[in-house]
Amino acid sequence: MAPNENERRTEAKMRQYAAECVKFATEMKESGKKEERIKALMQISPLPRTRGKRWNFVLEQIGYLGRYCLVWQVVWGGLFWYLMRHGIPYISAQESENGILMLISLLPPLLALITVEEITKVYQRSMLEIEYATKYSLQNVVLVRMMVLSEFHCILLAVMLVSIRAKLDSGIGTLFVYGFTPMILMTGILMKLMQHCHGERLRSAGIGVYVLMAMFTIAGNTKYFCWFHSDYFMVWCILCAVSILFAGWQFDCLRRKLVCFEQIAKF
């Protein structure tokens, strides 16, 4: 493949630097013109930043995402279909409508949980030099990967909810509220955790948060709470709005945290 214009310019500059260095070393031996040669070197224009277009950057970051993310998303899709068809014995079988709504709330947070480590590993200190070599900021790398995965999760969940709409009496808006609210809330919580921990600690904390969320979700389907009853739908709508605001706030906090982290790690 023929080199593009940026590569040709970069190669020419590197050759110019090499020639100047050889010439500088030779003249240093032959005469004492050190100051003049340093001034001449300083007048050489710096190498251009070979930064690609935004779309190329996005595609590049998608390529860096681990293939296991796709595997787990396929597994999640199979689990969703199976539970929508068979339910969970002794938990969702007694009242089928509320049981399905419970499962719709229980499954989406898993999408955020199974991919959070793939996002956070890029701002470990061992990865910073690699990220700097690409001439992109750490903030852009992390946030682009997060947005790509979040958008894919939203599309996947929306397709699943629309596909099971014919089997339920609930409207599509109801399914979206019950399905997206836990996932958005889980995403906000994980972004909060990402500001303080990563690696094994992040995975353990995320699993702990999901277990608590699952326990509350299952308890809400019992006769003592009945959180999935139509009388509580407005409460779910309010919780959905609060979750969106909370996730947006944590997204901005994480963005600023990454900027500070990058500045500190440079020293």
Side-chain angles (χ1 to χ4, degrees):
M1 181 182 295
N4 57 31
E5 186 63 26
N6 284 336
E7 291 175 345
R8 284 196 294 269
R9 263 186 280 173
T10 302
E11 185 177 356
K13 284 292 181 183
M14 292 177 68
R15 288 180 178 177
Q16 181 183 359
Y17 272 108
E20 290 289 339
C21 289
V22 172
K23 190 176 179 181
F24 175 75
T26 303
E27 292 189 5
M28 280 290 292
K29 294 179 181 179
E30 297 175 353
S31 63
K33 298 181 178 180
K34 181 177 179 180
E35 294 184 1
E36 290 76 3
R37 297 309 304 162
I38 291 177
K39 291 180 181 180
L41 285 172
M42 292 178 64
Q43 293 177 354
I44 300 175
S45 59
L47 289 170
R49 292 168 65 93
T50 58
R51 203 170 183 176
K53 297 180 180 179
R54 290 185 179 181
W55 179 244
N56 294 331
F57 170 58
V58 173
L59 292 178
E60 179 183 340
Q61 296 308 312
I62 293 175
Y64 285 144
L65 294 174
R67 300 298 182 268
Y68 80 92
C69 290
L70 180 60
V71 173
W72 281 116
Q73 287 160 357
V74 172
V75 171
W76 180 90
L79 178 65
F80 187 95
W81 277 109
Y82 177 83
L83 293 180
M84 290 301 104
R85 185 178 181 86
H86 301 286
I88 302 177
Y90 309 109
I91 294 180
S92 60
Q94 295 180 355
E95 297 183 16
S96 59
E97 184 72 15
N98 286 349
I100 292 178
L101 292 177
M102 180 202 71
L103 291 176
I104 290 175
S105 296
L106 193 63
L107 294 174
L110 281 174
L111 283 173
L113 183 60
I114 62 180
T115 55
V116 64
E117 187 179 3
E118 182 65 23
I119 300 170
T120 58
K121 72 179 184 181
V122 300
Y123 66 91
Q124 299 178 22
R125 290 182 181 273
S126 59
M127 295 293 292
L128 285 177
E129 291 184 2
I130 299 176
E131 301 300 338
Y132 291 149
T134 64
K135 303 298 182 181
Y136 294 105
S137 70
L138 180 66
Q139 175 190 355
N140 290 338
V141 172
V142 174
L143 297 186
V144 165
R145 294 187 187 186
M146 180 183 298
M147 292 179 68
V148 167
L149 286 172
S150 297
E151 290 176 6
F152 183 79
H153 292 165
C154 290
I155 293 173
L156 179 60
L157 180 57
V159 169
M160 291 292 184
L161 293 178
V162 171
S163 62
I164 66 171
R165 167 67 183 86
K167 300 180 181 180
L168 300 176
D169 295 332
S170 302
I172 192 65
T174 301
L175 297 180
F176 271 54
V177 169
Y178 285 115
F180 275 90
T181 299
M183 186 173 72
I184 296 172
L185 181 60
M186 184 72 178
T187 301
I189 294 174
L190 287 176
M191 284 192 288
K192 178 67 175 179
L193 293 174
M194 286 166 60
Q195 300 172 42
H196 303 285
C197 54
H198 55 79
E200 292 294 333
R201 286 185 59 196
L202 178 63
R203 184 190 299 113
S204 301
I207 292 174
V209 170
Y210 179 75
V211 169
L212 290 175
M213 186 177 294
M215 291 173 59
F216 278 108
T217 302
I218 294 173
N221 192 39
T222 62
K223 62 181 180 179
Y224 301 103
F225 299 100
C226 297
W227 293 342
F228 297 96
H229 194 273
S230 58
D231 292 342
Y232 293 98
F233 180 67
M234 287 305 301
V235 177
W236 277 88
C237 292
I238 295 173
L239 180 61
C240 182
V242 172
S243 300
I244 293 173
L245 293 175
F246 175 71
W249 175 40
Q250 292 306 318
F251 183 84
D252 184 64
C253 291
L254 178 62
R255 179 186 61 79
R256 288 186 275 110
K257 183 82 172 182
L258 289 173
V259 173
C260 295
F261 180 85
E262 187 173 18
Q263 292 175 347
I264 293 174
K266 287 181 179 179
F267 297 100

